[in-house]
Amino acid sequence: MSPKIKFLTLSFSSLILLCSGISMSAQAEEYKAPPKMMADLVDAPRQPGTAVSRNNQYIAFLKRPGAQSIVELAQPEETLAGLRINPANFAPARSTGFTAIEIRSMDSNKTSKIENLPEGKIMTVRFSPDSKNLAFLLEQPDSLTLWNYELASKELKQVSDKAINASLGGARYRWKGDSSGFITRLTVASASDAPKQAAAAPLPIVQTSDGKKAAVRTYSNLLKTPHDEALFEFLTTSQLASIDLNGKVSKIGEPGIIRGYSYSPNRNFLLVSQLKKPFSYLVPASRFPLLTQVWTTDGKLVETIADLPSGESIPKGFDSTLEGRRSISWRSDMPQTLMWAEAQDGGNMSNDVEFHDAVYTWEVGAGEPAKKLLDIERRFAGIEWGDDDFAMVSDWRFSDRKLRTWKFNPSDLSEEKVLFQERSYNDRYNDPGDFVYELNGLGQYVIKEDDGKVLLTGRGASPKGNIPFMDAYDFNTQSKTRLWASEAPYYERIIMPLSDDANKVLTVRESQTEQPNFFIRDIKKNSLKQMTDFPHPSPAFVGVTKEKIEYTRADGVALSGTLYLPPGYDKSKGPLPVLMWAYPLEYKDAAVASQVTESPYEFVRVSYWGPMPHLAQGFAVFDDPKMPIIGSGDNLPNDSFREQLVSSAQAAVDVLVERGVADKDRIAIAGHSYGAFMVANLLAHSDIFKAGIARSGAYNRTLTPFGFQGEERSFWEGQPVYASMSPFFHAEKIDEPMLMIHGKDDPNSGTFPMQSERMFAALKGLGATARLVMLPHEQHGYRARESLLHMMWEQYEWLDTYVLESDKK
C-alpha cells in the first residue's frame, strides 16, 4: 500500500508533513491546542526573577510575563555572525523581560511595588553598590534606555534618553563603583541609516584555504556577503560612555565594535575589548579578531594587551584554544592588576608538552613587564581570588574529563601549592561545592577566607539524592566540618549568605507537595523565616506521585530514573502506558555514570516543556532514565554507542514492567535535541518502543563532520562511528511511528532544521509512518504560546493514535 502524504500549513506558512498510509491530500491548518488541563500549563504563573542588594537588606522580585505570541516572535531581525539582532532598537532579537518589580525588605518583609512603570520590557535589573538605587533597562520597539528607581524617595525616572546598543549582548551597563552613575554602550546611528542591499548585479563570494587546518564546527547565521559585513558593523558599532544619575553623558574613547568593558577595582582604568576586521565567514562573532586594551577612564589608550586573529584555525579538540593572551581580566584582590593565560602548546592539547598554559599578571602603570604567575600543567580553567596570599587555581583536560584545583599564595610562589580537589568534572558525589564570597575593600567579590579557613555550599549529590549543604573547610588541617544540610522531607538549597559570618542565608525550600519559596535561615540558631508564598503553578496536577527507581543494565552499570504516576493511580487496575523522556551523556567512568543527580524531595514540577503534561493523558512518566555512554581506558564512549543505548533503554523498560507499572506494549520514547537523536536510534536498532517523539534533533552526523556532542573525532577520523551512530544511515530499520518537531529557525550548530527535513524525506521515501512539524520563527527551543500549545497537541495526538488507540482497534 502506498504511503499517504499530507501537506498541512500552519499560520505564517509553516509546513507540516504527514506520512502515514494511503493517499495524497493537501490542506491548510491552523494552530491547535491540547486538552485544557495540559494547555493551562503554558499560562501557569512562573517563578519570578530576583535581584539582591549588596547590603543584603533588599530583594527585588521580578515578575515574568507569559509566553510570547507568535506575532512577537515574528518581528523583523537580522541574523548575522551567529547573532540575532533587532535592527530597530540595536538589541538582541526575541528578548524577554519582566513586567513588574516588587522590592521586599529582608528584615521586616515589608514590600513596595514600583508604580507607574513605563510600557516595555524590563531587563537587566541591578541594585547600585550602595544599595540606594535600583536600575534597569527598558526595551521598547525603537530603543533600549536606562532607568533608575531611588528606594528612599520612591522616585522613578529615565536616566537618559540616549539609546543603548546591546547588539553584541554581554554587559548592557555597569554601575560605577561609587554609585554615581553608569558605564554603557550607546548607539551611534539611527536605524533608518542602515546600509541597503545594493541593486547592482551580485558578485562572486570567494573563500580560500591557505593549507592550515581549520576544523571548525558547523555554525549557523554566519556572514555571507559584503552587505552582511556592512550591516553587522553598522548594528554593532557603539560609543562607550558614562552617564551620571542626573543624565549627564560623557563619551569615552572613539566608537568601535565594543564587546566588553570593565573598570579596574580602584576605578582608575578601563579594560576594553573590541571586535575588528577582517570578519570571518566561517565562524561566529565570538571568534572574530579581538583587540583588548587598557584605557584611562576618559578613553585614552594606556596599553594594548592582546590583538588576536580570527579563531578559524583553533586546533581540533574541546580543550584546544587560541594562541596569544586570553581570559584577560582584572585581579579582584588588587587595585589595578590584570591577569591572563597563554597557551604553551600552540593551543593544541594533543601536543606533548610539560605545561599547556601559563598565567601572567601585569600591574597597570607600574612601569614593569608582565610577570609569570603560574605554569599550568593542563588547560587553564580559571582563578578565584581571595587576598594577596590566598587564591585558588584550576585546570582541566577533556580526554579523561578531569578537573583539579589548588590553593596557592600569589605573593609567595615558592610556597607549595595545596591540592584541593581532583575529580572527573562529571563526578557530582565528590564535588566539594562552591566557595562563599564576600566584598573586599575594593568593592570586589572574593573568596571569604580567614587564616586558611573557607566556607563552601553545594547541592550535595549522593546515592540518596541531592542534599544541599554548607561546609567549613580548613586548609591548615585539610579537614571539613558540616555546618548545615537540607533535611528530609524538604529540599532546601542556599542561594547566598546574608550576614558577614554567613550564619544567616537566603534559601529556596520545597518538598514533593510544596512549591519552592524563599526563606531566610539562621544556621546557628536553626531558625527559619518564610519570605514568599507563591501559588501552586499547576493545581490540576496535585496528587501526582514521584519515586526514584534504581536498576541495573545488563553489563552491571547501575542506573536510575524518576517515575511519576498520575493522580488517583490504582495499581489494581493494571499497568499503564508509559512515556519515557531521556538524554544520553558520555562518561569515562562507569561509577560516575551511575551517580544519582536529583533529590527525591524536590517539588513535582509539571511543565509544558517535557513529558509531564501527558500524565493528564493517563500515561505514567519515566523521566530522565539514565542513558550513559561509557568509554573506559583507551575505548571512547561512542565506540559502542548503539549497544549501550539499547541496553540502557531495555533495562529501564524491564524494571517498569517488573514492578507492574508499565504495559510493555504501550511504551513511547521521547527526547529533545540529543534526546531526539537517541529516539531515532532506539527506533532503528530495537523494538522496545511502540512510538517515538523526537524534537529539534540531528540524525545525520556527517552534517557535523568536525565533531558533535562529546565526540572529538572528525568524520574522516571516525567514519565507522559516524555511520553507526547516524539514524539517517539506518532509516530503513525504523518501523515504529516517529513524530518529529523542529523550530524552522533553529540556529544550534548541531541541529539545523535540514536535519529533520532530510530525515523525514528518507522515512517518507522508505514508506515509514512519520510526521514532521516545522514551527515557524522558532529556534532550538520553542517560545511562542501558539507553538507550545501546538507542540503539546501534536504529542497528545501522536501518543493517542499510536500508543493508546492502536491497542483498542
Side-chain angles (χ1 to χ4, degrees):
M1 189 177 294
S2 62
K4 178 176 69 177
I5 305 169
K6 282 188 179 180
F7 297 87
L8 302 91
T9 304
L10 285 181
S11 303
F12 293 90
S13 302
S14 94
L15 183 64
I16 302 180
L17 304 173
L18 171 66
C19 175
S20 56
I22 308 175
S23 61
M24 182 176 288
S25 64
Q27 68 184 65
E29 184 173 302
E30 295 300 317
Y31 285 99
K32 301 289 183 65
K36 184 177 185 302
M37 187 172 172
M38 297 172 66
D40 284 348
L41 295 171
V42 173
D43 300 317
R46 305 184 179 198
Q47 191 89 351
T50 58
V52 177
S53 62
R54 277 203 179 188
N55 64 5
N56 297 328
Q57 295 299 304
Y58 302 100
I59 182 170
F61 291 104
L62 316 173
K63 184 179 179 181
R64 299 183 192 277
Q68 293 175 290
S69 71
I70 192 67
V71 173
E72 289 180 271
L73 224 57
Q75 293 303 303
E77 63 183 18
E78 298 292 349
T79 53
L80 302 163
L83 304 173
R84 289 180 179 271
I85 302 172
N86 183 333
N89 62 12
F90 295 84
R94 305 172 181 237
S95 61
T96 58
F98 304 103
T99 59
I101 304 174
E102 180 184 276
I103 300 174
R104 188 169 301 187
S105 166
M106 295 279 199
D107 292 332
S108 67
N109 219 18
K110 182 180 178 180
T111 63
S112 174
K113 185 176 181 180
I114 299 182
E115 303 290 349
N116 301 315
L117 286 167
E119 288 292 324
K121 298 175 184 176
I122 297 168
M123 313 172 78
T124 319
V125 181
R126 293 175 181 164
F127 282 95
S128 59
D130 64 8
S131 302
K132 295 179 180 180
N133 295 275
L134 183 73
F136 62 86
L137 292 181
L138 182 73
E139 182 180 314
Q140 295 177 308
D142 61 351
S143 66
L144 195 64
T145 54
L146 187 57
W147 291 67
N148 185 61
Y149 177 77
E150 187 178 55
L151 273 64
S153 67
K154 297 186 179 181
E155 181 187 9
L156 173 67
K157 67 176 184 179
Q158 187 180 59
V159 177
S160 170
D161 61 0
K162 297 293 186 183
I164 287 172
N165 187 322
S167 296
L168 284 175
R172 299 180 180 188
Y173 71 90
R174 295 184 188 275
W175 274 100
K176 291 185 177 182
D178 61 2
S179 301
S180 64
F182 314 88
I183 182 173
T184 187
R185 295 168 294 187
L186 302 178
T187 57
V188 296
S190 169
S192 61
D193 296 329
K196 303 297 189 291
Q197 180 76 56
L203 299 173
I205 304 300
V206 179
Q207 299 184 64
T208 62
S209 175
D210 59 5
K212 295 180 181 178
K213 292 183 178 180
V216 296
R217 286 201 164 197
T218 48
Y219 296 105
S220 65
N221 301 331
L222 299 178
L223 300 182
K224 300 180 181 67
T225 67
H227 176 259
D228 283 352
E229 291 190 62
L231 189 56
F232 172 80
E233 184 175 14
F234 172 81
L235 290 171
T236 58
T237 297
S238 63
Q239 172 67 61
L240 197 62
S242 67
I243 308 177
D244 69 21
L245 289 175
N246 295 317
K248 181 182 178 182
V249 176
S250 301
K251 294 181 180 179
I252 303 173
E254 297 298 321
I257 306 177
I258 298 170
R259 193 179 80 169
Y261 53 95
S262 62
Y263 278 110
S264 60
N266 63 5
R267 303 190 296 277
N268 288 344
F269 298 96
L270 281 165
L271 181 66
V272 180
S273 61
Q274 302 179 71
L275 301 180
K276 51 178 286 191
K277 294 181 177 180
F279 301 143
S280 173
Y281 286 23
L282 291 178
V283 294
S286 59
R287 288 194 176 190
F288 281 5
L290 185 66
L291 176 68
T292 303
Q293 297 175 320
V294 174
W295 293 359
T296 61
T297 55
D298 58 357
K300 294 183 176 63
L301 176 64
V302 175
E303 187 78 18
T304 294
I305 306 301
D307 192 353
L308 300 178
S310 165
E312 291 181 0
S313 300
I314 294 176
K316 181 175 64 66
F318 292 110
D319 44 17
S320 291
T321 189
L322 269 175
E323 291 189 84
R325 296 172 176 176
R326 71 179 200 281
S327 302
I328 305 167
S329 64
W330 296 108
R331 279 184 58 166
S332 51
D333 63 330
M334 302 292 284
Q336 52 191 54
T337 297
L338 288 172
M339 63 139 286
W340 62 77
E342 293 185 43
Q344 307 296 295
D345 56 5
N348 191 343
M349 274 289 282
S350 65
N351 288 335
D352 186 13
V353 295
E354 183 178 4
F355 299 107
H356 286 273
D357 269 329
V359 176
Y360 294 83
T361 63
W362 180 64
E363 183 180 356
V364 180
E368 296 181 1
K371 299 176 182 177
K372 182 186 287 188
L373 183 69
L374 295 167
D375 285 310
I376 307 296
E377 188 177 353
R378 298 174 184 174
R379 185 64 72 216
F380 175 65
I383 292 179
E384 296 178 84
W385 301 101
D387 53 31
D388 58 1
D389 62 2
F390 183 95
M392 306 295 299
V393 61
S394 299
D395 71 3
W396 72 291
R397 182 171 58 197
F398 179 77
S399 61
D400 55 7
R401 278 61 165 181
K402 283 294 174 68
L403 171 70
R404 304 183 299 181
T405 303
W406 291 266
K407 178 184 82 72
F408 74 101
N409 185 342
S411 298
D412 184 2
L413 298 179
S414 65
E415 184 178 310
E416 189 174 355
K417 293 188 297 182
V418 177
L419 183 65
F420 175 61
Q421 66 164 327
E422 182 173 12
R423 62 182 176 90
S424 165
Y425 54 71
N426 293 320
D427 182 359
R428 296 173 176 86
Y429 288 1
N430 290 300
D431 184 350
D434 300 318
F435 293 105
V436 171
Y437 275 58
E438 65 180 356
L439 283 168
N440 64 10
L442 294 165
Q444 306 296 305
Y445 283 101
V446 294
I447 295 173
K448 181 178 177 62
E449 180 265 339
D450 181 19
D451 191 27
K453 300 179 181 66
V454 297
L455 297 173
L456 297 146
T457 62
R459 291 188 176 267
S462 76
K464 296 180 179 180
N466 291 346
I467 306 174
F469 66 88
M470 176 183 279
D471 283 348
Y473 186 85
D474 189 339
F475 278 97
N476 301 301
T477 60
Q478 297 190 41
S479 61
K480 69 178 180 181
T481 303
R482 182 128 302 175
L483 303 177
W484 172 84
S486 180
E487 295 182 357
Y490 290 96
Y491 178 64
E492 184 178 2
R493 57 196 185 276
I494 293 174
I495 303 302
M496 61 181 295
L498 298 176
S499 59
D500 290 340
D501 59 8
N503 278 320
K504 185 182 288 188
V505 293
L506 180 67
T507 72
V508 171
R509 190 173 191 247
E510 61 193 271
S511 71
Q512 282 197 19
T513 58
E514 298 174 44
Q515 62 271 26
N517 271 291
F518 286 89
F519 290 77
I520 294 178
R521 174 175 287 281
D522 191 309
I523 292 174
K524 199 168 186 178
K525 295 179 180 178
N526 195 28
S527 64
L528 195 64
K529 180 177 78 171
Q530 186 165 349
M531 287 202 67
T532 60
D533 187 16
F534 299 131
H536 195 294
S538 50
F541 287 84
V542 170
V544 170
T545 60
K546 66 180 285 189
E547 180 186 1
K548 183 183 74 173
I549 305 293
E550 296 179 334
Y551 51 102
T552 304
R553 203 165 72 179
D555 60 1
V557 174
L559 304 175
S560 64
T562 302
L563 175 65
Y564 295 90
L565 296 171
Y569 165 69
D570 184 350
K571 187 175 182 179
S572 67
K573 294 183 178 179
L576 297 173
V578 174
L579 176 60
M580 287 175 48
W581 188 281
Y583 191 96
L585 293 172
E586 295 105 337
Y587 297 89
K588 288 292 290 179
D589 186 318
V592 171
S594 298
Q595 291 182 353
V596 177
T597 58
E598 302 89 14
S599 167
Y601 306 115
E602 288 182 78
F603 179 61
V604 177
R605 292 172 176 82
V606 182
S607 165
Y608 57 75
W609 185 245
M612 301 292 281
H614 298 283
L615 290 162
Q617 199 172 355
F619 279 81
V621 168
F622 199 34
D623 190 34
D624 195 26
K626 298 299 181 284
M627 301 279 180
I629 310 300
I630 305 164
S632 300
D634 294 332
N635 296 321
L636 297 177
N638 287 334
D639 292 345
S640 55
F641 175 87
R642 280 166 38 184
E643 296 81 359
Q644 294 191 64
L645 186 69
V646 171
S647 182
S648 294
Q650 187 66 63
V653 167
D654 288 348
V655 71
L656 296 180
V657 172
E658 288 168 8
R659 292 170 66 96
V661 172
D663 178 346
K664 67 179 179 64
D665 295 320
R666 293 190 298 163
I667 301 178
I669 183 69
H672 189 92
S673 193
Y674 207 55
F677 177 71
M678 168 204 72
V679 168
N681 267 295
L682 286 171
L683 297 186
H685 303 298
S686 78
D687 293 310
I688 301 171
F689 300 101
K690 192 74 172 178
I693 298 173
R695 296 192 335 215
S696 295
Y699 309 100
N700 183 350
R701 300 281 40 146
T702 68
L703 298 177
T704 54
F706 286 106
F708 56 90
Q709 207 69 6
E711 179 57 65
E712 280 194 303
R713 289 169 292 191
S714 73
F715 167 74
W716 297 273
E717 295 169 316
Q719 290 189 36
V721 171
Y722 276 65
S724 172
M725 291 180 67
S726 295
F728 181 84
F729 283 33
H730 309 276
E732 81 283 1
K733 302 173 187 174
I734 297 179
D735 53 9
E736 295 87 7
M738 186 166 78
L739 169 66
M740 290 183 288
I741 303 175
H742 213 125
K744 207 171 189 316
D745 294 342
D746 188 349
N748 192 46
S749 64
T751 57
F752 291 167
M754 178 177 64
Q755 289 272 5
S756 288
E757 293 165 347
R758 296 283 174 84
M759 185 66 182
F760 176 79
L763 294 172
K764 180 181 71 172
L766 292 165
T769 300
R771 181 175 175 93
L772 172 62
V773 181
M774 300 299 292
L775 296 172
H777 306 294
E778 295 291 358
Q779 301 190 54
H780 193 58
Y782 321 136
R783 290 167 58 175
R785 184 176 187 274
E786 295 88 341
S787 301
L788 297 172
L789 291 170
H790 192 85
M791 172 194 76
M792 285 195 290
W793 179 83
E794 291 283 356
Q795 294 172 173
Y796 180 93
E797 291 292 317
W798 198 253
L799 294 173
D800 190 62
T801 301
Y802 293 107
V803 179
L804 301 182
E805 291 298 322
S806 57
D807 286 339
K808 300 175 184 178
K809 295 177 181 177

